[in-house]
Amino acid sequence: MSASVTDATTAGGLPEANPWGAPPRRRRRKLTFDRALFMAVFLGLPVAVFVIFVVIPIGQALFYSLTDWSGFSPVMNVVGLDNYVKLLNDETFLKALRNNALLTLVVPLVTLAAALAIAVVVTTAGPSTGQVRGLNGSGFYRVVSFFPYAVPAIVIGLLWAQVYDPAAGLFNGILTGLGLDGFKDYAWLGEVRAAMPASMFVMIWASIGFYTVLFVAAIKGIPAEIYEAARIDGAGRFRTAISITLPSIRDNVQTAYIYLGILTLDAYVFMAALNPGGGPANSTLTMSQHLMNTAFKKGQFGYATSMGVVLALVTLLFAALIFAIFYFAGGRDKKGEVAR
């Protein structure tokens, strides 16, 4: 009886509704040549590229981190977790790890706050009546703020190294010209307490432009009616930015924070250009710099690879932490509203 019900069809050839409430069986489509080719090109090829260029190198890195490979010889011995134990006692690596943590704590926060402020000013901080728009000449501000990002990071680092030059640098020249003679011949990159803040400033200056443009594009996607309703309710510019603009571009801020955090966890290009030796007392040394020095100057590729594995794990942990913070800070509420 059940077979006759399942196989029953209407006059139009369509399957008849099952009176027992069970869903009708779906027939498997035959694997034709076109479907096989489509799967091979759009599924198989990307998977193959991912395996070759991502999965296999990760596996190799994990293996090399367990060896004493010198990098220039096929001979290597498996030492197990000795490299990772050595890292825990390596004061230079731990100092570099703390420097990266400090960069990740300060640079993204300051950069994104400044970029968001500029984006709000050039998009919604115009006249309080009429169409919602930014300040007059806002296009000029966008171009000026984006200009540093158009210059390669290595060039920016080398330029600022000259600006910070103690004897002939522009920065000290401006300060002494203003009557601050205490900064004459001051080594901004040669003092322990000044080297890291000076390096942070360069990274912030170089990154603000890109994230300003990112936030401007996101704010432009917010319906103008929302801002007009806020005006009618008497909300000021600051209140509008905090209560409307920031929650509306939460996902963009999250993405920007992760990207910028990854940049600061590496920071090799900027630091190598500003302070190739790691700065005074290793005050600006990063994990990537220490990794390169260990591999190519000391010939300890196995040990350096273990540093790379730790750096990768720290990066993944940072990304997971940012996702969790944004989720519990508002993403969960947003999903709940959508579900309701």
Side-chain angles (χ1 to χ4, degrees), residues 300-317:
Q300 300 176 5
F301 273 76
Y303 184 46
T305 305
S306 65
M307 297 181 191
V309 173
V310 172
L311 177 57
L313 292 176
V314 170
T315 304
L316 291 175
L317 180 62

Side-chain angles (χ1 to χ4, degrees), residues 119-133:
V120 169
V121 167
V122 301
T123 52
T124 63
S128 57
T129 58
Q131 184 181 4
V132 177
R133 60 185 178 86

Side-chain angles (χ1 to χ4, degrees), residues 86-104:
K86 186 178 178 181
L87 283 178
L88 298 177
N89 300 310
D90 188 342
E91 289 298 329
T92 304
F93 177 79
L94 295 178
K95 175 65 174 178
L97 178 61
R98 290 193 292 269
N99 290 339
N100 277 112
L102 183 61
L103 284 171
T104 306

